[in-house]
């Protein structure tokens, strides 16, 4: 059907994303929507309204992976800050739920490691360093969550 036509490929990705979303295959929907040209805000709100934070994170990271670095520094920074916010929120939530079981401690540590890996990613790190105010925003966010170790 698409036969190499980009417009049709984006249309297919959009329809496929809708199908996955309706079936509650949120991670598949997130990855597929990231390939479409659907409104970023529309898709993000769909995941927010369904309270599917992991799928939202997946969508944001997939969008970040698809951005051309030279064309969208503002969008890159916005995505990075939002992703960091989601990580910090997840860590905070896990710490509040924590009953000191070894498994729960491992989950918190794993999420912290994921955040460090994300921030250490070459593409992310390079773009953060280009935009000094973003460094300050991320530091302030971490401090507001009481996370000074990362």
């Amino acid at each position: 059907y698409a036969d190499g036509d980009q417009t049709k490929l984006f249309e297919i990705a959009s329809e496929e994303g809708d199908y996955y979303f309706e079936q509650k295959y949120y991670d598949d929907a997130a990855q597929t929507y990231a390939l479409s040209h659907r409104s970023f805000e529309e898709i993000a709100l769909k995941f927010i309204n369904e309270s599917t934070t992991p799928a939202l994170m997946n969508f944001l990271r997939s969008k970040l992976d698809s951005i051309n670095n030279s064309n969208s520094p503002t969008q890159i920074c916005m995505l990075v800050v939002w992703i960091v916010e989601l990580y910090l929120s997840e860590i905070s939530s896990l710490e509040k739920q924590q009953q000191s079981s070894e498994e729960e401690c491992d989950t918190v540590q794993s999420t912290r490691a994921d955040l460090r890996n994300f921030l250490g990613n070459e593409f992310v790190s390079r773009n953060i360093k280009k935009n000094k105010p973003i460094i300050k925003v991320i530091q302030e966010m971490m401090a507001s969550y009481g996370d000074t170790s990362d």
Side-chain angles (χ1 to χ4, degrees):
Y1 167 77
D3 198 29
D5 182 337
Q6 283 295 96
T7 304
K8 289 181 181 176
L9 288 172
F10 293 137
E11 187 179 311
I12 291 169
S14 180
E15 293 296 320
E16 190 174 340
D18 286 343
Y19 170 78
Y20 288 138
F21 193 87
E22 289 167 9
Q23 299 301 312
K24 299 196 184 309
Y25 299 138
Y26 296 122
D27 286 329
D28 292 332
Q31 290 179 341
T32 306
Y33 279 138
L35 300 173
S36 77
H37 277 180
R38 291 275 288 275
S39 160
F40 172 83
E41 296 82 0
E42 173 193 356
I43 302 306
L45 285 172
K46 285 178 80 129
F47 290 118
I48 290 168
N49 289 337
E50 290 293 316
S51 300
T52 57
T53 302
L56 175 61
M57 173 82 82
N58 189 351
F59 173 68
L60 296 174
R61 291 194 69 160
S62 295
K63 257 326 210 192
L64 184 61
D65 289 342
S66 71
I67 291 176
N68 180 339
N69 185 21
S70 62
N71 293 337
S72 305
T74 303
Q75 190 174 19
I76 291 167
C77 288
M78 185 223 30
L79 287 169
V80 167
V81 168
W82 197 353
I83 291 167
V84 169
E85 170 72 25
L86 289 173
Y87 272 121
L88 292 172
S89 178
E90 179 68 14
I91 291 167
S92 176
S93 176
L94 288 168
E95 287 176 337
K96 287 177 184 170
Q97 295 174 18
Q98 196 167 333
Q99 302 292 324
S100 298
S101 78
E102 192 172 311
E103 183 178 320
E104 288 169 336
C105 288
D106 289 346
T107 303
V108 170
Q109 294 307 318
S110 174
T111 305
R112 283 184 185 279
D114 288 347
L115 172 58
R116 281 191 291 275
N117 288 337
F118 173 72
L119 291 171
N121 173 285
E122 181 186 344
F123 176 76
V124 171
S125 175
R126 184 171 12 101
N127 280 284
I128 289 173
K129 289 175 184 171
K130 284 182 193 176
N131 192 331
K132 298 282 188 221
I134 295 302
I135 295 171
K136 184 171 173 68
V137 167
I138 290 172
Q139 289 171 335
E140 288 172 358
M141 283 175 24
M142 293 176 113
S144 76
Y145 276 94
D147 189 345
T148 56
S149 64
D150 291 318

